[in-house]
Amino acid sequence: MHQLLAVTSALVALCCLGSVDSSAYDKIVTHSRIRARSEGPNVCAMQQVLGTQKKYFSTCRNWYKRSICGKKATAVYECCPGYMKLEGMKGCPAVAPIDHVYGTLGLVKATTTQQYADISKLREEIEGQGSFTLFAPSNEAWDLLDPSVRSALVSNVNIELYNALHYHMVNRRLLTKGMKDGMTVNSMYHDLGLHINHYSNGVVTVNCARIIHGNQVATNGVVHVIDRVISAVGSTIKDVLDVDEDLSSFNAAALASGMMDKLDQPGQFTLFAPTNAAFDKLNAGYLERIMGNKDVIAALVNYHLLKTVQCSEAITAGSVYETVEGSSIEIGCDGDSLTVNGIKMVLKKDIVTTNGVIHLIDQVLIPDSAKEVMELMGDTQSVFTDMVSELGLAAAMRPQTEYTLLAPVNGAFTNEVMSTDQNLLRYILENHILKLKVTLSELYNGQLLETLAGQFLRVFIYRTAVCIENACMLRGGKEGSNGAVHLMNSLIQPAKKTMYELLIADGRFKMFLSLMETADLTDLLKQEGSYTMFAPTDEAFADLSREDLALLRSDLNVLRTILLYHFSNGIFINGGLEGGVTNLLKTLQGNNLQVKSVNNSIHVNSVEVPASDLMATNGVVHIVKNLLYPGDLPVGRQELMVILQKVIRYIKIKYVPGFTYTEIPLTSYKRTITTTHYIETVPDVTKVTRVIEKEPTVTTVGDEGDPSILTRIIEIGDPRVNKVTRVIDGGEFDADGKRITGGARHTTVNEPHIIEGPDFSKITTIHSNPGLIQEESERITKLIKAGGKGAAIRRPPVPDVTKVTRFIEKEPTVTTVGDEGDPSILTRIIEIGDPRVNKVTRVIDGGEFDADGKRITGGARHTTVNEPHIIEGPDFSKITTIHSNPGLIQEESERITKLIKAGGKGAAIRRPPVPDVTKVTRFIEKEPTVTTVGDEGDPSILTRIIEIGDPRVNKVTRVIDGGEFDADGKSITGGARHTTVNEPHIIEGPDFSKITTIHSNPGLIQEESERITKLIKAGGKGAAIRRPPAGMRRARLVRRHHKPRQ
């Protein structure tokens, strides 16, 4: 007796320990005891499925539904584990006697297992010393075993049956509270694993066999009764797929997806494996189409795979589980069968593996991510789907094309819509198809989405809604392999007019528009922005007389206060308002509007809105038939109070004598565009930057007031340009070369005008003097100002010089145009046939010497050539950096200056006698031809022309002819004066084509420019009488640019 009390105390202690850290199983048993407390002590309420022997410690969900797996269940009451009935007493007042494991098998009515333990010689072991856990199959479980298997076990009790029972045992005590989900324990048969899962609904399984009566404590262990006989497991999911011929199609898909390795690794997976017959049910060509896309086939395979082990016995009701693909599926049960997404499709269940469980199904599960967008369309969008096909829009939605459908539900296609012209209806549908794949998570407020029709739709994000223009999204959007589908509650109507244009076109808002104009608020309706406006119709002002309106117009601050109360920043449409609650919209006036959406209609300040969601490019218009006024804003004038009471009857306006409205500055709501005019007085230069690509046309325009002034214009036919030119307009002349005597000093040019000056487009780095190019521009300005008729009285006599700067690549045509007023003045124009230019040439005409240095006494002054003519001056287009000797160019420039100054007509009386020298600088690659052309007016002037057969040049040559001086200006006592070469001759002077940076003397180019300036200024016949006295300054035409500022 004392021994029995001791054992009983030990049992109670074990049970108490179990309650300290209870598991889901222990909790569900506790709840069962509570439900059955009316039946007496230690009684547990269970549910039994009608027509079966299955009993469950039930969850609250199943208990109140009175069903398990969709089948009706009745409540049954049994003694809780460890307790037993006593005759004549209510409930289960007695603690069950404790015995060894073998004896406990009889206590829990697992008599078949007890019998097999006896005949297999296991009895001695489980009656003796040790600590064991035995998962004992119930009598019904042995009856469910395949007869052939059971016969084989019974026929070889000493080996097969003994080993089978050993696989049901663990060599230590293991209570349900210690059974963690996903754990594996070693059995007593060759340490093969037993796979335990512990679910949140209290179900505990061992190799997917459910514990139906657990924690029966024995003196040498514990017994758990299970609902089936379990067998040893040694294969992975991959192993099963490899050997099961009926799963070969899914096996091929898993291999193509690259997922097979994962199915061979340790884990906790549930695979719903479609059979070959399931794949045969797919649409023709579907599997072949997706097999070439690894992402799609991987999505398909992963959609059949859960991240957890879900044994069939653990599923007592429908639950949602996440797949490896990322989306979810619903797993439920229907009696003894499992369902997937509500469909009864499981053929065979609970194929246990070392890394999970397999259920065979007779359908292929296809996730949205493995479908094309059009395959995602449901029954609620069938009209849209049919219309897309009928109107020929399906061709734009190929499998390789990404797009997004904004699919209106069937109810949006009213009879009025369906009777629309087919072309217009096609345009409407095109505005429901986006050119890109846009998922819900990628949308943000203010986003613009381009449609197939070329329109841009605005996105509005609200607390409880996402809307596109006037339509809002419904739940049920999906993402496919090549796009997405969003369900819309109505047809989308892209905005085409501003709020002002909408009100004008409607015709019911004449008074409101008139008052807006009086208050200087019309721009608010026209300007860009995002506004919500409640626009009162003319009916709202019907009770006002002319005198009332005049009084209202007389005080602009009052009028603005009232009108601006009808505007709010931001676009708020009906579908974006949270239904049934008051939404506060702050107005431009400052007070709040109280907006409420009820039964798909809007009320503002309790005033009904008869028409809403008129979309404008700068906001949305809601129509009201009342003037709105803030209820908490008093009125301080009696006459105004009378007027407002006539039109505002839905609230009682407060009267506070002397109250005045806060003045609202226009800048607080009105976008201001500021125009700035920049006017300079000196120097008179207009500079235009232009890039050219296409063939230009060169035109010389004369000055009507002064024919001696010519302006060369290069017009570009194609605006696509990629070169930089510089335009300088000087003096008191407009862009057409006409003299301006008054009015605005504004210059407008449609095409680049290129006048004079070297090209620095290749110079890319200026370290110490970034103002270098600006200084060059000012120098050229002065040169241009010095030109024109009557120049003889404006500057001293100098040799005639014309300078042209140009990028050239293709064969140019050179034409010399004479001045009608002064035939001695020639302007040479170079027309380029091909606008692709990348060289710099400079032409200088003048002097009394030919190309060989001989004096010329006559000849025509007109030159026409088909190849580039390069006369005088080094080419600096390749010079970008000077490292060691930045003074080199200066020294060379001074030397050339001396040589050039020595030439020219009448030079003997203008300078000391010096030898005749002409210098030519040229990049040449091909054999040149040298021609000397005389001047008809003055035979003594010769122009030497070097014609290059191929304009592609990359060498520097310099030819210096004649005189008694060498290239450095030193005296020469003999030698030939004429040089003709067939290959590049480099005579005198270094080659600067490799110099690329200016570090120590960035003013070098400036000094060279000033030197050339002096040479150019010295040219021109009769120059002494054409230039004005020193100190006079010509007015400048200023081209002003102004741009609106927002």
Side-chain angles (χ1 to χ4, degrees):
M1 185 67 179
H2 293 289
Q3 184 180 4
L4 179 60
L5 290 175
V7 172
T8 302
S9 300
L11 176 60
V12 173
L14 286 172
C15 294
C16 292
L17 288 174
S19 65
V20 173
D21 184 18
S22 60
S23 63
Y25 175 85
D26 298 322
K27 290 178 181 178
I28 206 74
V29 171
T30 301
H31 289 166
S32 295
R33 295 182 68 166
I34 294 173
R35 292 191 189 106
R37 61 182 179 270
S38 62
E39 301 297 323
N42 304 318
V43 177
C44 287
M46 303 183 72
Q47 284 185 302
Q48 182 175 359
V49 180
L50 289 178
T52 70
Q53 297 298 317
K54 287 188 174 182
K55 298 177 184 178
Y56 295 86
F57 291 107
S58 187
T59 63
C60 293
R61 177 182 177 185
N62 290 336
W63 180 262
Y64 291 110
K65 282 189 173 182
R66 297 183 179 181
S67 66
I68 294 177
C69 285
K71 301 296 182 181
K72 287 186 178 181
T74 60
V76 294
Y77 300 94
E78 296 182 354
C79 290
C80 295
Y83 297 90
M84 59 183 298
K85 289 180 175 291
L86 290 178
E87 187 177 354
M89 299 185 68
K90 188 177 180 179
C92 304
V95 176
I98 190 169
D99 200 353
H100 43 60
V101 170
Y102 180 80
T104 303
L105 289 174
L107 184 64
V108 294
K109 300 179 182 179
T111 56
T112 302
T113 302
Q114 188 179 42
Q115 177 188 353
Y116 286 161
D118 191 12
I119 63 176
S120 65
K121 310 303 182 186
L122 182 63
R123 176 176 179 175
E124 182 180 351
E125 185 175 350
I126 60 177
E127 285 182 337
Q129 294 183 349
S131 183
F132 308 105
T133 297
L134 176 59
F135 296 99
S138 65
N139 294 341
E140 293 81 6
W142 285 106
D143 294 336
L144 293 173
L145 187 63
D146 185 275
S148 61
V149 175
R150 185 174 183 180
S151 177
L153 293 175
V154 174
S155 64
N156 192 352
V157 294
N158 293 327
I159 298 177
E160 295 297 335
L161 185 57
Y162 179 82
N163 290 339
L165 292 176
H166 253 189
Y167 184 67
H168 287 74
M169 295 177 62
V170 177
N171 199 12
R172 62 186 174 92
R173 180 186 287 111
L174 186 62
L175 299 176
T176 53
K177 70 172 185 178
M179 298 180 187
K180 307 302 181 183
D181 186 48
M183 73 181 296
T184 300
V185 295
N186 293 331
S187 71
M188 294 181 62
Y189 175 65
H190 297 308
D191 287 337
L192 290 180
L194 291 171
H195 305 282
I196 296 174
N197 291 98
H198 199 144
Y199 300 95
S200 59
N201 62 358
V203 174
V204 180
T205 62
V206 181
N207 286 15
C208 283
R210 179 170 65 95
I211 295 178
I212 59 176
H213 203 100
N215 296 331
Q216 291 292 334
V217 178
T219 56
N220 59 346
V222 63
V223 174
H224 305 287
V225 180
I226 57 178
D227 67 349
R228 73 182 67 174
V229 178
I230 59 177
S231 56
V233 176
S235 301
T236 64
I237 294 177
K238 176 182 179 299
D239 296 333
V240 175
L241 295 178
D242 286 339
V243 300
D244 194 333
E245 293 183 357
D246 199 30
L247 299 176
S248 60
S249 295
F250 185 80
N251 188 39
L255 286 171
S257 68
M259 289 297 299
M260 192 60 86
D261 288 343
K262 185 172 186 176
L263 299 179
D264 197 35
Q265 297 173 358
Q268 293 285 305
F269 303 111
T270 298
L271 175 65
F272 291 91
T275 62
N276 293 344
F279 277 94
D280 293 339
K281 296 178 184 179
L282 293 174
N283 294 332
Y286 173 78
L287 192 59
E288 290 75 9
R289 173 168 62 84
I290 67 171
M291 287 295 279
N293 189 326
K294 189 174 181 178
D295 292 338
V296 174
I297 194 65
L300 179 73
V301 172
N302 287 334
Y303 189 60
H304 292 78
L305 192 64
L306 304 184
K307 298 178 180 179
T308 57
V309 173
Q310 296 299 325
C311 297
S312 62
E313 285 300 316
I315 300 172
T316 59
S319 299
V320 176
Y321 301 92
E322 184 179 6
T323 67
V324 176
E325 181 264 345
S327 54
S328 299
I329 59 176
E330 182 181 358
I331 308 300
C333 53
D334 184 4
D336 291 334
S337 179
L338 294 181
T339 61
V340 181
N341 291 337
I343 301 174
K344 191 174 181 178
M345 62 175 65
V346 177
L347 301 174
K348 185 178 181 180
K349 55 188 179 181
D350 294 339
I351 302 174
V352 181
T353 66
T354 59
N355 58 349
V357 63
I358 301 174
H359 307 297
L360 302 186
I361 57 177
D362 62 0
Q363 295 186 32
V364 178
L365 305 177
I366 303 178
D368 291 343
S369 58
K371 297 178 182 178
E372 295 180 13
V373 176
M374 290 301 293
E375 296 173 337
L376 300 177
M377 304 295 287
D379 293 338
T380 58
Q381 307 94 48
S382 59
V383 176
F384 178 77
T385 304
D386 294 341
M387 296 302 296
V388 166
S389 299
E390 291 176 12
L391 296 177
L393 295 175
M397 294 176 281
R398 297 182 297 273
Q400 298 80 13
T401 304
E402 285 195 346
Y403 57 94
T404 300
L405 296 181
L406 306 175
V409 294
N410 294 341
F413 292 90
T414 61
N415 292 334
E416 181 182 358
V417 173
M418 298 303 290
S419 62
T420 306
D421 177 75
Q422 293 292 296
N423 292 330
L424 178 58
L425 188 56
R426 177 186 172 94
Y427 176 77
I428 292 174
L429 294 185
E430 285 179 343
N431 281 323
H432 290 75
I433 304 173
L434 304 181
K435 290 184 176 181
L436 297 175
K437 178 180 179 180
V438 182
T439 62
L440 181 62
S441 60
E442 295 173 329
L443 296 175
Y444 58 88
N445 193 61
Q447 185 177 8
L448 295 178
L449 306 174
E450 186 177 5
T451 69
L452 199 62
Q455 290 286 332
F456 286 90
L457 306 179
R458 296 166 295 181
V459 178
F460 309 122
I461 305 295
Y462 303 105
R463 283 172 52 90
T464 58
V466 176
C467 302
I468 298 177
E469 292 296 339
N470 60 296
C472 295
M473 292 183 181
L474 302 174
R475 294 185 182 274
K478 300 177 181 179
E479 181 180 350
S481 61
N482 64 332
V485 173
H486 302 297
L487 308 186
M488 311 303 296
N489 64 354
S490 64
L491 288 175
I492 297 173
Q493 300 172 1
K496 297 180 180 179
K497 299 179 180 179
T498 63
M499 293 191 295
Y500 179 79
E501 293 168 336
L502 284 177
L503 298 184
I504 288 290
D506 188 283
R508 292 179 293 170
F509 304 93
K510 296 183 180 65
M511 183 56 65
F512 178 69
L513 290 172
S514 176
L515 295 176
M516 290 288 288
E517 184 177 1
T518 301
D520 194 22
L521 297 177
T522 303
D523 286 345
L524 183 63
L525 302 172
K526 299 178 180 180
Q527 68 191 17
E528 293 182 1
S530 296
Y531 302 105
T532 296
M533 177 177 66
F534 292 89
T537 63
D538 292 339
E539 184 179 344
F541 303 93
D543 293 335
L544 296 182
S545 65
R546 289 188 178 182
E547 292 74 14
D548 294 335
L549 291 173
L551 179 61
L552 195 59
R553 295 176 189 272
S554 64
D555 191 332
L556 291 184
N557 193 44
V558 171
L559 186 58
R560 288 171 183 166
T561 299
I562 296 173
L563 294 177
L564 290 178
Y565 185 66
H566 293 74
F567 291 84
S568 175
N569 268 317
I571 297 178
F572 296 92
I573 66 174
N574 188 7
L577 299 173
E578 189 171 350
V581 298
T582 300
N583 300 264
L584 299 180
L585 307 185
K586 186 174 183 179
T587 67
L588 297 185
Q589 175 268 339
N591 290 68
N592 290 329
L593 287 168
Q594 297 182 9
V595 184
K596 197 171 185 179
S597 178
V598 180
N599 297 327
N600 202 33
S601 63
I602 299 178
H603 289 75
V604 53
N605 290 2
S606 73
V607 174
E608 184 180 359
V609 177
S612 62
D613 297 349
L614 278 66
M615 303 307 296
T617 57
N618 55 348
V620 62
V621 178
H622 305 300
I623 298 176
V624 292
K625 295 182 179 180
N626 297 81
L627 197 65
L628 303 179
Y629 190 84
D632 54 351
L633 188 66
V635 175
R637 294 162 49 195
Q638 187 64 45
E639 61 271 22
L640 179 60
M641 183 74 175
V642 173
I643 294 175
L644 293 180
Q645 286 177 339
K646 290 181 179 181
V647 292
I648 301 173
R649 298 186 178 93
Y650 60 91
I651 60 171
K652 185 176 182 180
I653 303 175
K654 298 178 182 178
Y655 176 66
V656 178
F659 177 81
T660 58
Y661 297 114
T662 302
E663 185 174 354
I664 305 175
L666 291 176
T667 54
S668 64
Y669 56 84
K670 191 173 180 180
R671 296 174 186 266
T672 303
I673 300 176
T674 304
T675 303
T676 304
H677 300 275
Y678 298 94
I679 300 178
E680 299 180 19
T681 55
V682 290
D684 298 334
V685 177
T686 299
K687 182 173 181 179
V688 178
T689 301
R690 181 68 168 141
V691 187
I692 62 173
E693 180 181 14
K694 196 170 181 181
E695 177 178 353
T697 302
V698 182
T699 306
T700 300
V701 181
D703 183 2
E704 295 177 359
D706 191 345
S708 65
I709 298 178
L710 298 179
T711 301
R712 186 177 61 174
I713 301 172
I714 300 180
E715 299 180 359
I716 309 301
D718 190 336
R720 294 171 301 169
V721 292
N722 58 14
K723 298 293 182 182
V724 177
T725 66
R726 197 165 61 241
V727 178
I728 300 181
D729 296 329
E732 299 175 329
F733 304 89
D734 63 10
D736 297 321
K738 298 181 180 180
R739 184 181 302 277
I740 299 176
T741 58
R745 297 168 69 91
H746 180 72
T747 302
T748 302
V749 291
N750 294 324
E751 295 298 332
H753 296 206
I754 304 179
I755 303 178
E756 214 278 314
D759 179 23
F760 298 99
S761 63
K762 299 295 183 179
I763 301 176
T764 56
T765 306
I766 298 178
H767 289 280
S768 59
N769 190 1
L772 195 59
I773 297 181
Q774 177 63 25
E775 296 170 7
E776 173 64 7
S777 299
E778 294 173 356
R779 181 189 66 77
I780 296 173
T781 301
K782 295 176 182 178
L783 294 180
I784 295 176
K785 287 183 178 180
K789 188 174 180 180
I793 61 174
R794 293 200 298 267
R795 62 174 181 258
V798 290
D800 297 338
V801 179
T802 300
K803 180 178 179 182
V804 179
T805 301
R806 185 64 172 131
F807 283 126
I808 62 171
E809 179 178 319
K810 195 171 181 181
E811 176 180 351
T813 300
V814 181
T815 305
T816 302
V817 181
D819 183 357
E820 296 178 0
D822 191 345
S824 65
I825 298 177
L826 297 181
T827 300
R828 186 169 58 175
I829 300 172
I830 301 181
E831 298 183 2
I832 309 300
D834 188 336
R836 295 171 300 169
V837 293
N838 57 15
K839 299 295 181 181
V840 178
T841 66
R842 195 164 61 242
V843 180
I844 298 182
D845 297 333
E848 299 177 337
F849 304 92
D850 63 9
D852 297 321
K854 298 180 180 180
R855 185 176 299 278
I856 300 175
T857 60
R861 295 179 67 127
H862 181 71
T863 303
T864 301
V865 293
N866 294 323
E867 296 295 338
H869 294 206
I870 317 296
I871 302 177
E872 210 279 317
D875 178 14
F876 296 99
S877 64
K878 301 294 184 179
I879 301 177
T880 55
T881 309
I882 297 179
H883 287 283
S884 59
N885 191 359
L888 196 59
I889 298 181
Q890 175 63 20
E891 296 170 6
E892 174 66 7
S893 299
E894 292 174 357
R895 184 186 64 76
I896 296 173
T897 300
K898 295 176 182 179
L899 296 179
I900 295 176
K901 286 183 177 179
K905 186 175 180 179
I909 62 174
R910 293 196 300 269
R911 60 179 177 268
V914 292
D916 302 332
V917 179
T918 301
K919 180 181 178 183
V920 178
T921 301
R922 183 60 172 131
F923 285 125
I924 63 172
E925 182 180 23
K926 195 171 181 180
E927 178 178 352
T929 301
V930 181
T931 306
T932 301
V933 181
D935 184 354
E936 296 179 356
D938 191 344
S940 64
I941 298 177
L942 293 183
T943 300
R944 185 173 62 174
I945 300 169
I946 301 179
E947 299 181 2
I948 310 300
D950 188 341
R952 295 171 299 173
V953 294
N954 57 14
K955 301 289 185 180
V956 177
T957 66
R958 198 163 61 244
V959 180
I960 299 181
D961 295 331
E964 296 178 351
F965 298 88
D966 60 12
D968 295 322
K970 298 181 180 179
S971 178
I972 300 176
T973 56
R977 288 176 166 241
H978 180 71
T979 302
T980 302
V981 293
N982 293 325
E983 295 297 332
H985 291 209
I986 303 179
I987 302 177
E988 283 294 328
D991 177 11
F992 298 101
S993 64
K994 300 299 183 180
I995 301 175
T996 58
T997 309
I998 299 178
H999 285 285
S1000 60
N1001 191 0
L1004 194 58
I1005 299 180
Q1006 173 64 18
E1007 296 170 6
E1008 173 63 8
S1009 299
E1010 292 174 357
R1011 183 190 65 77
I1012 296 174
T1013 300
K1014 295 177 182 178
L1015 295 180
I1016 295 176
K1017 286 183 176 179
K1021 187 174 180 180
I1025 61 173
R1026 289 203 305 269
R1027 191 168 61 195
M1032 291 185 65
R1033 183 175 63 204
R1034 304 183 70 170
R1036 177 190 175 195
L1037 293 179
V1038 179
R1039 180 174 185 179
R1040 298 184 297 274
H1041 301 270
H1042 64 87
K1043 183 177 181 182
R1045 297 182 181 176
Q1046 295 185 356

